[in-house]
Amino acid sequence: LGSVAQTTTVFEMPGALEAATSLLGQVFGFAAFRPGQEEILRAVLAGEDVLAVMPTGTGKTVCFSHVAQQMMSDKGGRVLLLAHREELVRQAADKLAAITGERVAIEMGEEYSAEKTAWRAPVVCATVQTLNKRHARFDPRQFTLVIVDEAHHGTADSYRKILDYFKGVKILGVTATPDRADEIALGQVFESTAFDYELPDAIHDGWLVPIEQQRIFIEGLDLSSVRTTAGDLNAGDVEAIMRREEVIHRVVGPTLEIAGDRPTLFFASSVEHAYAMAEIANRHKPDSARAVDGTTPKDLRRSTLAAFKRGDFQFLCNCGVFLEGFDEARIAVVAMARPTKSRALYAQAVGRGTRPLPGTVDGIALAPD
């Protein structure tokens, strides 16, 4: 970023190639493995605690579900899935049940798996927050594999407490972004990287939607005074600058022109900034934008996302709610109105728009040219 005039970036996802699906997708229902899954499976079966790096839209959930199925078949025992958000837990539970054919229990909030009865689910999906309080309900000796979704969080104390409790159980971590802004090494948790496939690789190989980038020049936007905290731009400093109404207008107006009538996801510098962008977008184009944050009631959040998916409104604004676990392939434009020095955060945001539409290359061995 320059010292005086700054830019915000809008990413367009061309419709012509929106229809590719996962690198490792539904192919596992066929005879052959694609590259990566076989390497991950071999490493886990060999007894290593491994990390798999796979970008959004390349089949992380499908991949670890097949690894779980194979581990239970070859080694016996149960499987535990750890994630930090409800959406991730429920997505994983659905996929694990479909692929393994096993009963899946959820340990989250007011939901309990039946650990005190004779019936115990072969697969348990849990939030880290809940399992930190309830890990003693489980006998680690019954488990053969712990899967850590969004594994770049795995060095946090909340994760380490659980992994220490399940010490001796093999770990598979999956993430799209293995680097952390605070530079804490994931090697503290994982012994090796079994598969490393980055976003540019998947785009180059034809499995994800290519990115067309446009920058909006904002006269007078100066980030030179913004401090760096824990490896990224200080959130409070950035928010104070980006929340200025004239700046928001200069971000939102051109973005609306670029987006046309295409579904668009805005990333803001704060919750307040997200709602302000939605409000100004609605001034430009009435009833076109809504915002969601971490405190939005679950029912309202679900209904808002369902409305976005149906096309009831065009612009969905957020700060960090949709950086992980949000898989809406209709998104054609990502507006990055959140300045950052974090490559991982940037890749997570842009990755929300690279997921292809389903139905075109599901189950094939090679992506189209």
Side-chain angles (χ1 to χ4, degrees):
L1 296 174
S3 61
V4 181
Q6 306 296 330
T7 63
T8 188
T9 306
V10 179
F11 296 96
E12 299 178 80
M13 313 306 168
L17 290 177
E18 283 181 338
T21 64
S22 62
L23 166 70
L24 300 173
Q26 275 69 5
V27 75
F28 298 119
F30 294 76
F33 291 128
R34 287 187 185 168
Q37 197 270 348
E38 193 171 17
E39 299 167 45
I40 296 164
L41 180 58
R42 187 183 305 114
V44 174
L45 290 174
E48 298 179 35
D49 294 336
V50 299
L51 181 70
V53 178
M54 301 170 65
T56 297
T58 55
K60 293 189 295 295
T61 309
V62 172
C63 179
F64 68 60
S65 295
H66 281 276
V67 172
Q69 179 188 46
Q70 194 66 43
M71 284 290 286
M72 288 188 288
S73 174
D74 288 6
K75 303 288 187 179
R78 306 169 70 192
V79 170
L80 172 67
L81 180 283
L82 289 177
H84 68 296
R85 289 188 176 178
E86 177 183 356
E87 292 90 345
L88 294 172
V89 167
R90 297 202 186 279
Q91 288 171 16
D94 290 344
K95 192 65 70 176
L96 282 160
I99 290 176
T100 67
E102 300 285 0
R103 294 169 297 183
V104 178
I106 290 178
E107 189 83 17
M108 177 174 61
E110 297 180 357
E111 297 179 69
Y112 287 79
S113 59
E115 295 303 309
K116 299 298 184 182
T117 70
W119 180 84
R120 291 182 175 86
V123 181
V124 177
C125 296
T127 58
V128 172
Q129 297 89 332
T130 294
L131 212 61
N132 257 274
K133 303 173 183 177
R134 301 183 194 164
H135 56 275
R137 282 168 37 81
F138 299 87
D139 182 353
R141 295 171 296 181
Q142 297 177 353
F143 288 81
T144 190
L145 179 67
V146 174
I147 300 167
V148 182
D149 200 2
E150 304 295 347
H152 49 280
H153 297 295
T155 57
D157 291 343
S158 56
Y159 283 81
R160 297 297 293 271
K161 177 181 177 180
I162 297 168
L163 296 177
D164 286 346
Y165 178 76
F166 285 89
K167 191 173 181 62
V169 181
K170 296 309 165 190
I171 304 170
L172 168 61
V174 293
T175 181
T177 50
D179 50 331
R180 294 170 53 99
D182 58 14
E183 299 184 352
I184 296 177
L186 293 179
Q188 296 179 15
V189 177
F190 304 101
E191 296 175 292
S192 63
T193 300
F195 186 55
D196 189 353
Y197 196 65
E198 300 282 358
L199 180 63
D201 301 319
I203 292 172
H204 179 268
D205 291 344
W207 300 109
L208 293 181
V209 178
I211 298 168
E212 293 180 3
Q213 177 177 301
Q214 292 192 43
R215 296 191 177 190
I216 299 169
F217 183 81
I218 302 174
E219 187 69 39
L221 178 59
D222 185 1
L223 300 178
S224 61
S225 62
V226 175
R227 296 166 293 174
T228 297
T229 303
D232 199 0
L233 297 175
N234 181 274
D237 292 353
V238 170
E239 199 263 351
I241 295 171
M242 299 302 295
R243 271 288 310 280
R244 299 205 309 263
E245 183 160 338
E246 66 272 19
V247 171
I248 299 175
H249 277 285
R250 290 172 182 171
V251 170
V252 171
T255 300
L256 268 60
E257 292 182 14
I258 291 170
D261 60 358
R262 293 176 296 174
T264 299
L265 181 63
F266 274 94
F267 281 98
S269 59
S270 69
V271 170
E272 293 76 13
H273 185 211
Y275 282 94
M277 286 202 299
E279 192 270 329
I280 289 177
N282 284 324
R283 289 192 217 168
H284 286 264
K285 190 174 183 180
D287 301 320
S288 66
R290 301 182 194 177
V292 170
D293 68 85
T295 66
T296 302
K298 291 180 181 179
D299 289 346
L300 177 57
R301 179 163 161 176
R302 291 192 190 107
S303 65
T304 300
L305 295 183
F308 182 66
K309 187 171 185 177
R310 290 194 305 267
D312 293 353
F313 66 98
Q314 182 181 355
F315 304 103
L316 180 60
C317 304
N318 83 112
C319 176
V321 172
F322 300 129
L323 285 171
E324 300 166 339
F326 180 55
D327 303 330
E328 178 46 66
R330 291 181 61 255
I331 294 169
V333 179
V334 174
M336 190 63 178
R338 176 180 181 171
T340 181
K341 295 172 71 175
S342 169
R343 189 207 71 90
L345 187 150
Y346 203 72
Q348 285 175 319
V350 175
R352 298 307 108 189
T354 59
R355 177 178 290 275
L357 295 172
T360 300
V361 297
D362 298 8
I364 70 171
L366 296 172
D369 292 333

